[in-house]
Amino acid sequence: MMAFIFRRLAYGLLVLVAVSTIVSSIIYLAPVDPTRLTFGQRADAATVASKQKELGLDAPLYQQLLWYLNDLSPLSIHRHSEEVQEKYAYFRLLSVGESALVCKWPYLRESFQYGRKVSQMIAEAVPYTIALAIAAILLASVLGILLGIVAALRPRSWFDNLAMVVSVMGISLPSYVSAMILALIFGFYLQDYTGLNIQGSLLVLDDFGEERIVWKNLILPAIALGIRPVAIITQLTRSSMLDVLSQDFIRTAQAKGLSHYRVVFKHALRNALNPVVTAISGWFAALLAGAFFVENVFGYKGLGKLTVDALLTFDIPLVLGAVLCVAAFFVFLNILVDILYALLDPRTVVK
């Protein structure tokens, strides 16, 4: 089992290295000058060149990539000095001349536009995106499982056909389109009746300059983000329930005189939830990435809006940090699901 876990961790690490290399290559190759966006088009050439040298943007691409991967690596080589040690907060393992092999947390650098550490900005934004993703996946799970159960218990009925039509529509509709429709209808036209805002974050400043949580600003983004997983979970629950309900042990339970409620929820649903749980875990990670455009539509200040704003200003460290954060979520959840599967069914472990 430990060998299986270490293999999964090694594969996850390779994925993160590949993602950081590919994404950083694309970003650095883009024909956009971040220093021009910082100073404006009227800045003189000397000022721009000085800023490019300070940020390391005047170096060849391969060298910029190596520097960035060295900053990300927990084991890296840096020139040893008090200033560098304060910047990276590292623990020196071995000194070689003026350089040293050090152990540190991955360093995501500082934002070009804000001058703040990228790790701090992401740490401030991630909780709001996680709250949005949790609200969306809870809504999708409860609604999708209930609709799937009812559809499976009444196959080929009007409710079953309606649930399937709605599911296909939900899968076909992109989240940002759903977000715009919901914002327009419930946040604008029906705002007097719903009391919902067309835009707003979870944490807002009141008239006295104090921060307060506005839970209603979570409703529309969560619905927009949860529409697609509702459709997937409904179809998976329906097909899995139909398959389980046709098994011999269900007929045996019915023959023993067990109540319909006990047969459906204790025996059938319990055995039908395996593929549904897999879909929910995968969709939770996907919602973190799918929240990017939904957050931008509703002005919800999470990781998605932070990343879109960074793309507009070509803030390279912030964009790379956000992408790596989402990739790390995907890798972590996939490893966690693999480990849970291995614990539940050791036959899934490949020797």
Side-chain angles (χ1 to χ4, degrees):
M1 178 59 71
M2 292 303 298
F4 172 78
I5 294 175
F6 282 126
R7 282 202 305 271
R8 287 294 180 267
L9 291 174
Y11 293 154
L13 182 61
L14 288 176
V15 170
L16 290 178
V17 171
V19 168
S20 58
T21 303
I22 294 172
V23 174
S24 56
S25 300
I26 294 172
I27 294 294
Y28 281 117
L29 282 171
V32 181
D33 189 355
T35 55
R36 285 290 181 185
L37 293 175
T38 303
F39 293 116
Q41 296 299 322
R42 296 185 179 181
D44 59 277
T47 303
V48 172
S50 175
K51 189 65 176 179
Q52 286 179 335
K53 185 176 181 180
E54 177 187 345
L55 299 176
L57 298 175
D58 60 335
L61 176 63
Y62 75 90
Q63 196 168 359
Q64 295 184 47
L65 292 177
L66 290 176
W67 286 344
Y68 188 71
L69 292 176
N70 188 55
D71 284 348
L72 287 179
S73 175
L75 291 175
S76 54
I77 299 175
H78 292 282
R79 182 175 56 84
H80 180 61
S81 66
E82 292 184 1
E83 181 182 355
V84 176
Q85 188 171 22
E86 182 179 358
K87 176 181 178 181
Y88 291 99
Y90 61 71
F91 176 76
R92 184 173 52 172
L93 298 176
L94 180 66
S95 295
V96 181
E98 295 183 354
S99 300
L101 177 66
V102 303
C103 178
K104 61 176 178 56
W105 289 103
Y107 180 63
L108 299 178
R109 300 187 174 178
E110 294 183 353
S111 166
F112 289 166
Q113 300 297 323
Y114 301 98
R116 299 177 56 199
K117 286 187 176 181
V118 170
S119 56
Q120 292 179 350
M121 299 179 67
I122 291 176
E124 293 173 0
V126 161
Y128 302 113
T129 299
I130 291 179
L132 175 58
I134 290 175
I137 201 65
L138 285 177
L139 173 68
S141 301
V142 173
L143 191 59
I145 290 174
L146 288 177
L147 290 175
I149 292 173
V150 176
L153 294 177
R154 293 175 173 81
R156 292 178 294 278
S157 65
W158 67 268
F159 184 88
D160 184 23
N161 294 330
L162 179 63
M164 291 303 100
V165 170
V166 173
S167 296
V168 173
M169 290 178 60
I171 297 172
S172 305
L173 198 63
S175 297
Y176 65 90
V177 176
S178 304
M180 289 187 288
I181 294 173
L182 290 172
L184 186 63
I185 295 176
F186 296 101
F188 182 71
Y189 289 119
L190 300 178
Q191 200 271 340
D192 294 337
Y193 304 99
T194 62
L196 301 176
N197 300 319
I198 191 171
Q199 283 195 328
S201 186
L202 186 60
L203 195 67
V204 299
L205 293 175
D206 59 17
D207 295 337
F208 301 99
E210 297 181 357
E211 293 181 339
R212 63 186 181 90
I213 296 178
V214 182
W215 292 107
K216 68 179 182 179
N217 288 341
L218 197 63
I219 296 175
L220 292 180
I223 294 174
L225 201 59
I227 286 177
R228 298 192 72 196
V230 162
I232 296 291
I233 293 171
T234 298
Q235 291 191 358
L236 276 176
T237 305
R238 176 187 179 274
S239 60
S240 185
M241 281 288 292
L242 287 174
D243 181 61
V244 172
L245 287 171
S246 64
Q247 299 295 320
D248 291 337
F249 75 93
I250 296 295
R251 288 191 287 270
T252 302
Q254 292 171 338
K256 287 182 177 180
L258 296 180
S259 65
H260 183 67
Y261 175 86
R262 190 182 180 107
V263 170
V264 170
F265 288 95
K266 185 175 180 180
H267 295 279
L269 182 61
R270 189 173 181 178
N271 289 275
L273 283 182
N274 282 339
V276 179
V277 171
T278 305
I280 290 174
S281 63
W283 268 101
F284 180 72
L287 290 180
L288 295 172
F292 278 37
F293 297 106
V294 172
E295 288 182 3
N296 204 48
V297 170
F298 289 101
Y300 186 91
K301 296 180 180 178
L303 182 62
K305 191 173 189 309
L306 184 70
T307 308
V308 172
D309 292 343
L311 283 169
L312 294 176
T313 57
F314 209 69
D315 196 337
I316 294 177
L318 191 52
V319 173
L320 292 177
V323 172
L324 286 176
C325 180
V326 174
F329 272 121
F330 270 97
V331 170
F332 173 76
L333 287 176
N334 284 330
I335 292 175
L336 184 61
V337 170
D338 287 343
I339 293 174
L340 289 176
Y341 270 146
L343 291 174
L344 293 173
D345 187 0
R347 293 174 300 176
T348 60
V349 179
V350 179
K351 301 296 185 181

